[in-house]
Amino acid sequence: MRFFITEPISTEKDLVIADAGIGRQVTKVLRKKAGDEIIVLDGSGNECVVMIKENKKDVLVCEVLTCTKNSNEPAIPLVLYQSVLKKDKMEWVFEKGTEIGVSEFVPFLSEHSVKLGINPARAHKIAQEAAEQSRRGKIPTIADTMLFDAALAHAQASGYVTIIAHNIGAFANIRKCGEMTAKAKGINVFIGPEGGFSEDEIARASQSGFRVVSLGKRVLRAETAAIVACFSVIS
Ligand code: SAM
């Protein structure tokens, strides 16, 4: 079992995990006791095997046995700009996007958005659990919800290659963008809301130099499109 912790980890000294939630999970749910090992991650890519020495009221004192660099992070950052969807769909995107390697989620509002916000604390919790489950070394960050034009500016400022998925019109398939993404220092992917992007939004994205792509002939649900698009470009 793996846990992201906020304490710095060093092989030079014992690690005290003061998060009562982790303490309870380790001792009451997993029934680990002194002498048992767990894996802890510091969120910056370091992953350490530690042995429980003591449990003082769900505060764990552990000996740090080994630390290595987690090797499951994608080679370059992948940022998913997702137009805010209905609660359960958006949460599904946070979970599945984390599993496949999204490094940052940027929720945004566009012309056809119906839902206007997310619960950031819940989104972070979902991303953290999915990162632990999928053995990632980092928890994806979740930006504050922004308007479409601010999202365009944010993407442009990143210096990454940006692609925007649109299902109306004859655009190149995302799988034909390999030459564009191969040398990128990062990739931004834009996915529209349930009602899709407006033609005006697509025109503004094109003017910003973004590549409009198709995900195939069939119209996918926004949450399916998010995962298909990210998985198509991730390395
Ligand atoms: N209401 C729109 C319609 O019926 O034409 C469908 C919008 S779709 C459910 C939501 C988003 O998923 C789109 O804005 C786009 O970003 C993405 N998407 C879904 N299918 C796609 C496809 N075949 N090609 C490109 N993008 C797609």
Side-chain angles (χ1 to χ4, degrees):
M1 192 71 186
R2 310 156 75 81
F3 299 94
F4 283 97
I5 60 170
T6 48
E7 294 84 356
I9 314 169
S10 161
T11 48
E12 309 286 297
K13 57 181 173 67
D14 282 352
L15 172 71
V16 179
I17 305 175
D19 181 324
I22 295 179
R24 270 195 302 277
Q25 172 87 358
V26 168
T27 58
K28 311 263 165 23
V29 181
L30 299 171
R31 301 194 174 275
K32 300 269 184 199
K33 39 189 191 334
D36 288 342
E37 293 175 9
I38 56 171
I39 296 172
V40 293
L41 300 108
D42 67 0
S44 71
N46 294 315
E47 168 169 329
C48 305
V49 179
V50 303
M51 187 187 71
I52 302 166
K53 286 171 76 175
E54 263 183 280
N55 168 20
K56 296 181 196 163
K57 292 190 180 162
D58 294 335
V59 173
L60 304 176
V61 181
C62 305
E63 182 183 340
V64 182
L65 302 177
T66 56
C67 283
T68 50
K69 207 82 191 149
N70 176 284
S71 56
N72 302 332
E73 286 300 307
I76 56 169
L78 172 62
V79 185
L80 173 59
Y81 289 76
Q82 175 66 63
S83 186
V84 175
L85 306 175
K86 286 184 190 143
K87 183 171 170 278
D88 54 334
K89 308 289 186 198
M90 198 68 185
E91 291 184 353
W92 192 86
V93 169
F94 289 133
E95 182 179 276
K96 303 306 169 199
T98 300
E99 287 175 26
I100 63 168
V102 169
S103 32
E104 182 179 6
F105 295 93
V106 182
F108 66 92
L109 303 180
S110 52
E111 231 173 286
H112 299 157
S113 293
V114 176
K115 190 87 170 75
L116 301 181
I118 64 159
N119 177 337
R122 185 158 163 75
H124 176 78
K125 185 169 181 285
I126 291 169
Q128 174 164 345
E129 287 175 0
E132 287 168 349
Q133 188 278 327
S134 56
R135 304 192 174 188
R136 290 191 55 175
K138 295 179 183 172
I139 306 168
T141 51
I142 297 166
D144 291 338
T145 302
M146 55 185 81
L147 296 176
F148 179 71
D149 284 336
L152 289 186
H154 192 269
Q156 218 162 17
S158 69
Y160 298 170
V161 164
T162 302
I163 55 186
I164 179 163
H166 191 46
N167 57 294
I168 302 162
F171 302 107
N173 190 287
I174 195 166
R175 283 177 290 195
K176 302 236 164 78
C177 294
E179 86 295 341
M180 195 182 172
T181 52
K183 291 189 193 126
K185 63 174 182 154
I187 303 173
N188 299 316
V189 173
F190 273 70
I191 301 292
E194 290 89 342
F197 286 116
S198 70
E199 288 309 320
D200 188 48
E201 285 169 333
I202 292 298
R204 293 204 312 272
S206 295
Q207 281 153 18
S208 301
F210 301 167
R211 174 86 169 260
V212 188
V213 298
S214 163
L215 302 176
K217 290 181 186 166
R218 290 159 294 279
V219 180
L220 308 177
R221 296 266 191 199
E223 65 276 19
T224 315
I227 302 310
V228 166
C230 288
F231 192 72
S232 304
V233 295
I234 204 155
S235 45

